[in-house]
Structure formats: structure tokens, C-alpha cells
Short mmCIF file of all heavy atoms in Angstrom, two decimals:
data_model
loop_
_atom_site.label_atom_id
_atom_site.label_comp_id
_atom_site.label_asym_id
_atom_site.label_seq_id
_atom_site.Cartn_x
_atom_site.Cartn_y
_atom_site.Cartn_z
N ILE F 1100 -16.21 -2.99 10.63
CA ILE F 1100 -15.24 -3.86 9.97
C ILE F 1100 -15.60 -5.31 10.27
O ILE F 1100 -16.03 -5.64 11.39
CB ILE F 1100 -13.80 -3.53 10.42
CG1 ILE F 1100 -12.77 -4.26 9.56
CG2 ILE F 1100 -13.60 -3.82 11.90
CD1 ILE F 1100 -11.33 -3.79 9.77
N SER F 1101 -15.46 -6.17 9.27
CA SER F 1101 -15.75 -7.59 9.45
C SER F 1101 -14.86 -8.38 8.50
O SER F 1101 -14.18 -7.80 7.64
CB SER F 1101 -17.23 -7.88 9.17
OG SER F 1101 -17.56 -7.56 7.82
N ARG F 1102 -14.87 -9.68 8.64
CA ARG F 1102 -14.05 -10.50 7.76
C ARG F 1102 -14.68 -11.86 7.56
O ARG F 1102 -15.42 -12.37 8.42
CB ARG F 1102 -12.63 -10.62 8.30
CG ARG F 1102 -12.48 -11.43 9.57
CD ARG F 1102 -11.06 -11.27 10.14
NE ARG F 1102 -10.05 -11.73 9.19
CZ ARG F 1102 -8.76 -11.41 9.25
NH1 ARG F 1102 -8.33 -10.58 10.21
NH2 ARG F 1102 -7.89 -11.89 8.37
N ASP F 1103 -14.35 -12.46 6.41
CA ASP F 1103 -14.74 -13.81 6.07
C ASP F 1103 -13.46 -14.53 5.66
O ASP F 1103 -13.02 -14.40 4.51
CB ASP F 1103 -15.78 -13.80 4.94
CG ASP F 1103 -16.31 -15.19 4.63
OD1 ASP F 1103 -15.64 -16.19 4.97
OD2 ASP F 1103 -17.37 -15.27 4.01
N ASN F 1104 -12.86 -15.25 6.57
CA ASN F 1104 -11.58 -15.88 6.28
C ASN F 1104 -11.70 -16.98 5.22
O ASN F 1104 -10.74 -17.25 4.51
CB ASN F 1104 -10.96 -16.44 7.56
CG ASN F 1104 -10.45 -15.33 8.48
OD1 ASN F 1104 -10.11 -14.24 8.03
ND2 ASN F 1104 -10.42 -15.61 9.76
N ALA F 1105 -12.86 -17.59 5.11
CA ALA F 1105 -13.06 -18.60 4.08
C ALA F 1105 -12.98 -17.96 2.68
O ALA F 1105 -12.60 -18.63 1.71
CB ALA F 1105 -14.41 -19.28 4.26
N LYS F 1106 -13.33 -16.68 2.60
CA LYS F 1106 -13.26 -15.96 1.32
C LYS F 1106 -12.02 -15.08 1.23
O LYS F 1106 -11.86 -14.34 0.26
CB LYS F 1106 -14.51 -15.11 1.14
CG LYS F 1106 -15.79 -15.91 1.00
CD LYS F 1106 -16.99 -15.00 0.76
CE LYS F 1106 -18.26 -15.83 0.58
NZ LYS F 1106 -19.45 -14.98 0.35
N ASN F 1107 -11.19 -15.13 2.27
CA ASN F 1107 -9.97 -14.30 2.29
C ASN F 1107 -10.29 -12.83 2.05
O ASN F 1107 -9.58 -12.14 1.31
CB ASN F 1107 -8.96 -14.79 1.26
CG ASN F 1107 -8.48 -16.19 1.54
OD1 ASN F 1107 -8.14 -16.52 2.67
ND2 ASN F 1107 -8.51 -17.04 0.52
N THR F 1108 -11.33 -12.37 2.67
CA THR F 1108 -11.80 -11.01 2.43
C THR F 1108 -12.15 -10.32 3.74
O THR F 1108 -12.75 -10.92 4.63
CB THR F 1108 -13.02 -11.02 1.49
OG1 THR F 1108 -12.68 -11.68 0.28
CG2 THR F 1108 -13.45 -9.58 1.16
N VAL F 1109 -11.77 -9.06 3.81
CA VAL F 1109 -12.15 -8.19 4.92
C VAL F 1109 -13.01 -7.07 4.36
O VAL F 1109 -12.75 -6.57 3.27
CB VAL F 1109 -10.91 -7.63 5.62
CG1 VAL F 1109 -11.29 -6.57 6.65
CG2 VAL F 1109 -10.12 -8.75 6.29
N TYR F 1110 -14.04 -6.69 5.11
CA TYR F 1110 -14.99 -5.68 4.65
C TYR F 1110 -14.97 -4.46 5.56
O TYR F 1110 -14.66 -4.55 6.75
CB TYR F 1110 -16.41 -6.26 4.63
CG TYR F 1110 -16.53 -7.52 3.82
CD1 TYR F 1110 -16.49 -8.77 4.44
CD2 TYR F 1110 -16.68 -7.47 2.44
CE1 TYR F 1110 -16.60 -9.94 3.71
CE2 TYR F 1110 -16.79 -8.64 1.69
CZ TYR F 1110 -16.75 -9.86 2.33
OH TYR F 1110 -16.85 -11.02 1.60
N LEU F 1111 -15.35 -3.34 4.99
CA LEU F 1111 -15.58 -2.13 5.77
C LEU F 1111 -16.92 -1.56 5.32
O LEU F 1111 -17.03 -1.00 4.23
CB LEU F 1111 -14.47 -1.10 5.58
CG LEU F 1111 -14.58 0.14 6.46
CD1 LEU F 1111 -14.36 -0.24 7.94
CD2 LEU F 1111 -13.58 1.21 6.05
N GLN F 1112 -17.94 -1.75 6.13
CA GLN F 1112 -19.26 -1.20 5.86
C GLN F 1112 -19.30 0.22 6.38
O GLN F 1112 -19.08 0.45 7.58
CB GLN F 1112 -20.35 -2.04 6.53
CG GLN F 1112 -21.75 -1.50 6.34
CD GLN F 1112 -22.22 -1.57 4.90
OE1 GLN F 1112 -22.02 -2.57 4.23
NE2 GLN F 1112 -22.85 -0.49 4.43
N MET F 1113 -19.55 1.16 5.50
CA MET F 1113 -19.54 2.57 5.86
C MET F 1113 -20.93 3.15 5.68
O MET F 1113 -21.45 3.20 4.57
CB MET F 1113 -18.53 3.32 4.99
CG MET F 1113 -17.13 2.71 5.01
SD MET F 1113 -15.91 3.71 4.13
CE MET F 1113 -16.54 3.59 2.47
N ASN F 1114 -21.54 3.54 6.77
CA ASN F 1114 -22.88 4.13 6.76
C ASN F 1114 -22.82 5.59 7.20
O ASN F 1114 -21.83 6.04 7.78
CB ASN F 1114 -23.80 3.36 7.69
CG ASN F 1114 -23.99 1.92 7.28
OD1 ASN F 1114 -23.94 1.57 6.09
ND2 ASN F 1114 -24.19 1.05 8.26
N SER F 1115 -23.88 6.31 6.94
CA SER F 1115 -23.97 7.73 7.33
C SER F 1115 -22.72 8.49 6.92
O SER F 1115 -22.12 9.24 7.70
CB SER F 1115 -24.17 7.83 8.85
OG SER F 1115 -25.33 7.14 9.26
N LEU F 1116 -22.33 8.31 5.69
CA LEU F 1116 -21.09 8.92 5.21
C LEU F 1116 -21.18 10.44 5.21
O LEU F 1116 -22.25 11.02 4.97
CB LEU F 1116 -20.77 8.40 3.81
CG LEU F 1116 -20.16 7.00 3.79
CD1 LEU F 1116 -20.28 6.37 2.42
CD2 LEU F 1116 -18.70 7.04 4.23
N LYS F 1117 -20.04 11.04 5.48
CA LYS F 1117 -19.92 12.49 5.54
C LYS F 1117 -18.88 12.95 4.52
O LYS F 1117 -17.98 12.19 4.16
CB LYS F 1117 -19.47 12.92 6.94
CG LYS F 1117 -20.36 12.44 8.07
CD LYS F 1117 -19.77 12.82 9.41
CE LYS F 1117 -20.65 12.33 10.56
NZ LYS F 1117 -20.07 12.69 11.89
N PRO F 1118 -18.97 14.21 4.07
CA PRO F 1118 -17.96 14.70 3.13
C PRO F 1118 -16.52 14.54 3.66
O PRO F 1118 -15.61 14.30 2.87
CB PRO F 1118 -18.33 16.18 2.98
CG PRO F 1118 -19.81 16.19 3.19
CD PRO F 1118 -20.05 15.17 4.27
N GLU F 1119 -16.35 14.64 4.95
CA GLU F 1119 -15.00 14.49 5.52
C GLU F 1119 -14.49 13.06 5.48
O GLU F 1119 -13.34 12.81 5.82
CB GLU F 1119 -14.95 15.02 6.96
CG GLU F 1119 -16.03 14.49 7.87
CD GLU F 1119 -17.21 15.43 7.98
OE1 GLU F 1119 -17.67 15.98 6.94
OE2 GLU F 1119 -17.70 15.61 9.12
N ASP F 1120 -15.32 12.10 5.07
CA ASP F 1120 -14.86 10.73 4.86
C ASP F 1120 -14.22 10.55 3.50
O ASP F 1120 -13.67 9.47 3.20
CB ASP F 1120 -16.03 9.75 4.99
CG ASP F 1120 -16.61 9.70 6.40
OD1 ASP F 1120 -15.82 9.70 7.37
OD2 ASP F 1120 -17.85 9.67 6.52
N THR F 1121 -14.29 11.57 2.66
CA THR F 1121 -13.69 11.49 1.33
C THR F 1121 -12.20 11.27 1.43
O THR F 1121 -11.48 12.03 2.10
CB THR F 1121 -13.97 12.79 0.54
OG1 THR F 1121 -15.38 12.90 0.32
CG2 THR F 1121 -13.24 12.80 -0.79
N ALA F 1122 -11.72 10.21 0.79
CA ALA F 1122 -10.29 9.86 0.87
C ALA F 1122 -10.03 8.65 -0.01
O ALA F 1122 -10.96 7.99 -0.48
CB ALA F 1122 -9.90 9.55 2.31
N LEU F 1123 -8.75 8.36 -0.16
CA LEU F 1123 -8.32 7.10 -0.76
C LEU F 1123 -8.17 6.11 0.38
O LEU F 1123 -7.42 6.37 1.33
CB LEU F 1123 -7.00 7.31 -1.50
CG LEU F 1123 -6.50 6.18 -2.40
CD1 LEU F 1123 -7.50 5.90 -3.51
CD2 LEU F 1123 -5.15 6.56 -2.99
N TYR F 1124 -8.89 5.01 0.31
CA TYR F 1124 -8.90 4.02 1.38
C TYR F 1124 -8.00 2.84 1.01
O TYR F 1124 -8.12 2.28 -0.08
CB TYR F 1124 -10.33 3.53 1.64
CG TYR F 1124 -11.17 4.51 2.42
CD1 TYR F 1124 -11.58 5.70 1.83
CD2 TYR F 1124 -11.52 4.26 3.74
CE1 TYR F 1124 -12.34 6.62 2.55
CE2 TYR F 1124 -12.28 5.17 4.46
CZ TYR F 1124 -12.68 6.34 3.86
OH TYR F 1124 -13.43 7.25 4.59
N TYR F 1125 -7.15 2.47 1.96
CA TYR F 1125 -6.23 1.36 1.79
C TYR F 1125 -6.50 0.27 2.82
O TYR F 1125 -6.86 0.57 3.96
CB TYR F 1125 -4.78 1.83 2.01
CG TYR F 1125 -4.28 2.90 1.10
CD1 TYR F 1125 -4.46 4.24 1.41
CD2 TYR F 1125 -3.60 2.58 -0.08
CE1 TYR F 1125 -3.98 5.25 0.58
CE2 TYR F 1125 -3.10 3.57 -0.91
CZ TYR F 1125 -3.31 4.90 -0.58
OH TYR F 1125 -2.83 5.87 -1.41
N CYS F 1126 -6.29 -0.97 2.42
CA CYS F 1126 -6.26 -2.03 3.40
C CYS F 1126 -4.84 -2.54 3.54
O CYS F 1126 -4.04 -2.45 2.60
CB CYS F 1126 -7.22 -3.16 3.06
SG CYS F 1126 -6.87 -4.04 1.52
N ALA F 1127 -4.53 -3.05 4.70
CA ALA F 1127 -3.19 -3.55 4.98
C ALA F 1127 -3.28 -4.69 5.98
O ALA F 1127 -4.19 -4.71 6.81
CB ALA F 1127 -2.32 -2.43 5.54
N ALA F 1128 -2.36 -5.62 5.89
CA ALA F 1128 -2.35 -6.79 6.76
C ALA F 1128 -1.01 -6.90 7.47
O ALA F 1128 0.02 -6.47 6.93
CB ALA F 1128 -2.64 -8.05 5.97
N ASP F 1129 -1.05 -7.49 8.65
CA ASP F 1129 0.19 -7.62 9.42
C ASP F 1129 0.21 -8.96 10.13
O ASP F 1129 -0.79 -9.41 10.68
CB ASP F 1129 0.29 -6.48 10.45
CG ASP F 1129 1.72 -6.31 10.94
OD1 ASP F 1129 2.10 -7.04 11.88
OD2 ASP F 1129 2.44 -5.48 10.38
N ARG F 1130 1.40 -9.58 10.13
CA ARG F 1130 1.53 -10.91 10.71
C ARG F 1130 1.60 -10.90 12.23
O ARG F 1130 1.27 -11.90 12.87
CB ARG F 1130 2.79 -11.59 10.17
CG ARG F 1130 2.73 -11.92 8.68
CD ARG F 1130 4.08 -12.34 8.16
NE ARG F 1130 5.03 -11.23 8.22
CZ ARG F 1130 6.33 -11.36 7.99
NH1 ARG F 1130 6.84 -12.56 7.74
NH2 ARG F 1130 7.12 -10.30 8.02
N PHE F 1131 2.02 -9.78 12.79
CA PHE F 1131 2.32 -9.80 14.22
C PHE F 1131 1.55 -8.79 15.06
O PHE F 1131 1.35 -9.00 16.25
CB PHE F 1131 3.82 -9.58 14.43
CG PHE F 1131 4.67 -10.57 13.69
CD1 PHE F 1131 5.48 -10.16 12.64
CD2 PHE F 1131 4.64 -11.91 14.01
CE1 PHE F 1131 6.26 -11.07 11.95
CE2 PHE F 1131 5.42 -12.84 13.32
CZ PHE F 1131 6.22 -12.42 12.29
N ARG F 1132 1.11 -7.69 14.46
CA ARG F 1132 0.42 -6.66 15.24
C ARG F 1132 -1.04 -7.04 15.49
O ARG F 1132 -1.68 -7.65 14.65
CB ARG F 1132 0.49 -5.31 14.53
CG ARG F 1132 1.89 -4.70 14.48
CD ARG F 1132 1.85 -3.33 13.83
NE ARG F 1132 3.15 -2.67 13.88
CZ ARG F 1132 4.01 -2.70 12.88
NH1 ARG F 1132 3.75 -3.37 11.79
NH2 ARG F 1132 5.16 -2.05 13.00
N ASN F 1133 -1.56 -6.64 16.63
CA ASN F 1133 -2.97 -6.81 16.91
C ASN F 1133 -3.70 -5.51 16.55
O ASN F 1133 -3.06 -4.50 16.26
CB ASN F 1133 -3.19 -7.21 18.38
CG ASN F 1133 -2.70 -6.15 19.37
OD1 ASN F 1133 -2.91 -4.96 19.17
ND2 ASN F 1133 -2.07 -6.59 20.44
N PRO F 1134 -5.03 -5.52 16.55
CA PRO F 1134 -5.76 -4.31 16.13
C PRO F 1134 -5.40 -3.06 16.93
O PRO F 1134 -5.32 -1.96 16.38
CB PRO F 1134 -7.22 -4.71 16.33
CG PRO F 1134 -7.22 -6.18 16.05
CD PRO F 1134 -5.94 -6.67 16.67
N ARG F 1135 -5.19 -3.19 18.21
CA ARG F 1135 -4.85 -2.03 19.02
C ARG F 1135 -3.49 -1.46 18.58
O ARG F 1135 -3.33 -0.23 18.47
CB ARG F 1135 -4.81 -2.40 20.49
CG ARG F 1135 -4.49 -1.24 21.42
CD ARG F 1135 -5.51 -0.14 21.34
NE ARG F 1135 -6.86 -0.62 21.70
CZ ARG F 1135 -7.96 0.09 21.58
NH1 ARG F 1135 -7.91 1.31 21.09
NH2 ARG F 1135 -9.12 -0.41 21.94
N GLN F 1136 -2.55 -2.32 18.31
CA GLN F 1136 -1.24 -1.86 17.83
C GLN F 1136 -1.35 -1.25 16.44
O GLN F 1136 -0.69 -0.26 16.13
CB GLN F 1136 -0.26 -3.04 17.83
CG GLN F 1136 0.10 -3.53 19.23
CD GLN F 1136 0.84 -4.85 19.20
OE1 GLN F 1136 0.63 -5.70 18.34
NE2 GLN F 1136 1.71 -5.05 20.19
N ILE F 1137 -2.18 -1.81 15.60
CA ILE F 1137 -2.38 -1.27 14.25
C ILE F 1137 -2.97 0.13 14.33
O ILE F 1137 -2.64 1.00 13.52
CB ILE F 1137 -3.28 -2.21 13.42
CG1 ILE F 1137 -2.52 -3.52 13.12
CG2 ILE F 1137 -3.72 -1.54 12.13
CD1 ILE F 1137 -3.38 -4.59 12.47
N SER F 1138 -3.85 0.35 15.29
CA SER F 1138 -4.49 1.66 15.41
C SER F 1138 -3.51 2.77 15.73
O SER F 1138 -3.83 3.95 15.56
CB SER F 1138 -5.58 1.62 16.49
OG SER F 1138 -5.01 1.56 17.79
N ALA F 1139 -2.32 2.42 16.18
CA ALA F 1139 -1.34 3.42 16.59
C ALA F 1139 -0.34 3.76 15.49
O ALA F 1139 0.55 4.59 15.70
CB ALA F 1139 -0.59 2.93 17.81
N ILE F 1140 -0.48 3.14 14.32
CA ILE F 1140 0.48 3.39 13.24
C ILE F 1140 -0.23 3.78 11.96
O ILE F 1140 -1.42 3.59 11.81
CB ILE F 1140 1.36 2.15 12.98
CG1 ILE F 1140 0.50 0.98 12.49
CG2 ILE F 1140 2.14 1.76 14.23
CD1 ILE F 1140 1.31 -0.22 12.03
N THR F 1141 0.53 4.35 11.04
CA THR F 1141 0.02 4.64 9.70
C THR F 1141 0.94 4.10 8.63
O THR F 1141 0.72 4.32 7.45
CB THR F 1141 -0.16 6.15 9.49
OG1 THR F 1141 1.10 6.80 9.73
CG2 THR F 1141 -1.22 6.71 10.44
N ASP F 1142 1.97 3.40 9.05
CA ASP F 1142 2.93 2.81 8.12
C ASP F 1142 3.54 1.58 8.79
O ASP F 1142 3.32 1.33 9.97
CB ASP F 1142 4.02 3.82 7.78
CG ASP F 1142 4.67 3.52 6.44
OD1 ASP F 1142 4.42 2.42 5.89
OD2 ASP F 1142 5.42 4.36 5.94
N GLY F 1143 4.29 0.80 8.00
CA GLY F 1143 5.01 -0.32 8.58
C GLY F 1143 4.27 -1.62 8.62
O GLY F 1143 4.81 -2.62 9.09
#
């Protein structure tokens, strides 16, 4: 995962993809949570 704030864009480079990676991928932003806190939720 990386980001370019000047372009207001976040990227997810996915290599060595596996069939189990098949899914609908969503991005989400939060004003107050840090990445560790985000890793513990799937909603909100």
C-alpha cells in the first residue's frame, strides 16, 4: 500500500496474486483511526 497525497490517491500494488484474492475490493478513509485501529474493523 502506498499513497500520493499531492494526487489525493492511495494505491494497492498486488503481486503474486492467488485465486483466493478474488473479491470486490473497497477503499475507505477515516479521520481519526490509525492503520492499526483500521486493521481491527470491517465497518464504521
